[in-house]
Amino acid sequence: MRLDIQTKDFSYPVCIGNLEQITHASKVLVVSDSIVAPLHLNTLLSKLKAPHIFTHMISSGEEHKTWQGIEGILESAFQANLSRKDLMLALGGGVVSDMVGFASAIYKRGIAFQIVPTTLLAQVDASVGGKTGINNKYGKNLIGAFHPPRAVHIDPLFLTTLPKREFKAGMAEMVKKAVCFDKDYFKWLESHPLEQHLELGIYKSVAIKASVVAQDEKEEGLRRGLNYGHTFAHAIEKAGAYSTHLHGEAVAIGMQMANALALKLGLLEQATQERIQALLKTYGLDLPYHIADFESFYKDLQMDKKNTKGICFILPKGLGAFVAREDMDKSTLKEALHAWL
Ligand SMILES: NC(=O)c1ccc[n+]([C@@H]2O[C@H](COP(=O)([O-])OP(=O)(O)OC[C@H]3O[C@@H](n4cnc5c(N)ncnc54)[C@H](O)[C@@H]3O)[C@@H](O)[C@H]2O)c1
Ligand SMILES: [Zn+2]
């Protein structure tokens, strides 16, 4: 299966199915992480045809999505003396693709990169759309660039080695898209156990993102819906120093928080809220959370990069639609979040 991501400025293919040969006429720097490389680097290298292939390893995990990690990738790129004709190739989850995307965006003012995503989350979400970046002490993904890949190669076979917890976390991004953009996909997820319909489930999810990104690449309107649950999620991840919750887990909790707020504002009916909760529960994503310190949680919400006037909350309006609200006062928010305080 193949989808084409088409924006005003870019177009690139997303291939879904058995990994096909990747050919490049000049040098390729393959970047992977310390968990993925021992499992899958050889498979990738067996499919890669290029005159010169270099490899670079980063440490696995969100806490390594840092400047230091970027400097390491750039160092390998300079050592290999990559030119603007050359290619970086990310093999791994969203951490690897976000970092390789950013490193390739700034290396010699930008060279091409491609992605072979190996987590469900990266296959259905992080690898498509051109957002790249890293975290710093002020928060998540606060440094980065729009830099679309030249191609994305999604092979669900890579997911056979993915820990169950990581797989479930990837589901959160699928539910996110269903709630904000596509009621039929939501119903499909309710009635089709993903493990048995993996390739089609991934395809449908990527197709939604492709359509959203095509209409709004730079996040001026429609694309904001992809941030449903994320304002809260980023604060949750930061509060846990990026090591207590997986990104998808934090998004799942964040969606429930957004739902509570939407319910309070009359945007969402209780029955719909319960339906979303039930779907999350099916995938083990109905997770408990306690906001240890509301004031510092609130401060972290204020750091979110979507904010312009106030904290930007993406709130579902029934199934298949959303609104972005920046007019929430602190006390309304606190009341809506009482279940987590
Ligand atoms: N750019 C975007 O549009 C976008 C969208 C969503 C998420 N993201 C980013 O993606 C990141 C999360 O991505 P993720 O969940 O893929 O995290 P990740 O890259 O940290 O991967 C999760 C873990 O699984 C391991 N792993 C990866 N593939 C494996 C495999 N096939 N078998 C066994 N282990 C494997 C990794 O080493 C890591 O320990 C976050 O930093 C988030 O901000 C970006
Ligand atoms: Zn996300």
Side-chain angles (χ1 to χ4, degrees), residues 82-97:
L82 297 191
S83 78
R84 286 209 180 138
K85 288 198 315 288
D86 299 327
L87 177 74
M88 290 193 198
L89 180 55
L91 171 73
V95 167
V96 177
S97 54

Side-chain angles (χ1 to χ4, degrees), residues 33-36 39-40 60-62 65 92-96 98 118-119 121-122 125-132 135 140-141 158-163 166 173 176 209 223 230 234 237 246-248:
D33 78 23
S34 49
I35 291 181
V36 178
L39 295 167
H40 300 300
S60 158
E62 186 75 36
K65 198 173 140 182
V95 167
V96 177
D98 274 11
T118 61
T119 63
L121 189 141
D125 203 15
S127 62
V128 176
K131 281 190 187 179
T132 73
N135 312 323
K140 206 170 136 71
N141 296 338
F158 286 119
L159 304 182
T160 49
T161 58
L162 192 66
E166 295 285 353
E173 303 279 14
K176 166 190 89 176
K209 186 148 182 187
R223 188 169 180 167
H230 281 62
H234 292 164
E237 289 182 88
L246 300 178
H247 175 70

Side-chain angles (χ1 to χ4, degrees), residues 7-137:
T7 72
K8 224 165 46 265
D9 305 318
F10 294 97
S11 146
Y12 53 93
V14 179
C15 303
I16 305 170
N18 290 344
L19 184 63
E20 286 171 10
Q21 188 167 304
I22 301 171
T23 307
H24 192 72
S26 49
K27 295 175 188 170
V28 179
L29 174 63
V30 179
V31 180
S32 190
D33 78 23
S34 49
I35 291 181
V36 178
L39 295 167
H40 300 300
L41 183 59
N42 282 341
T43 306
L44 176 71
L45 292 178
S46 73
K47 300 279 184 172
L48 180 59
K49 296 282 168 284
H52 302 284
I53 298 172
F54 305 86
T55 55
H56 176 87
M57 286 317 116
I58 57 179
S59 303
S60 158
E62 186 75 36
E63 64 275 28
H64 298 290
K65 198 173 140 182
T66 59
W67 259 120
Q68 212 186 350
I70 294 299
E71 279 174 0
I73 297 173
L74 295 178
E75 176 66 27
S76 286
F78 284 114
Q79 288 284 343
N81 194 18
L82 297 191
S83 78
R84 286 209 180 138
K85 288 198 315 288
D86 299 327
L87 177 74
M88 290 193 198
L89 180 55
L91 171 73
V95 167
V96 177
S97 54
D98 274 11
M99 289 176 72
V100 175
F102 183 50
S104 62
I106 59 176
Y107 178 78
K108 296 188 176 172
R109 296 212 181 91
I111 66 167
F113 86 114
Q114 296 189 16
I115 307 174
V116 179
T118 61
T119 63
L120 180 62
L121 189 141
Q123 295 194 344
V124 299
D125 203 15
S127 62
V128 176
K131 281 190 187 179
T132 73
I134 52 168
N135 312 323
N136 71 354
K137 68 175 182 180

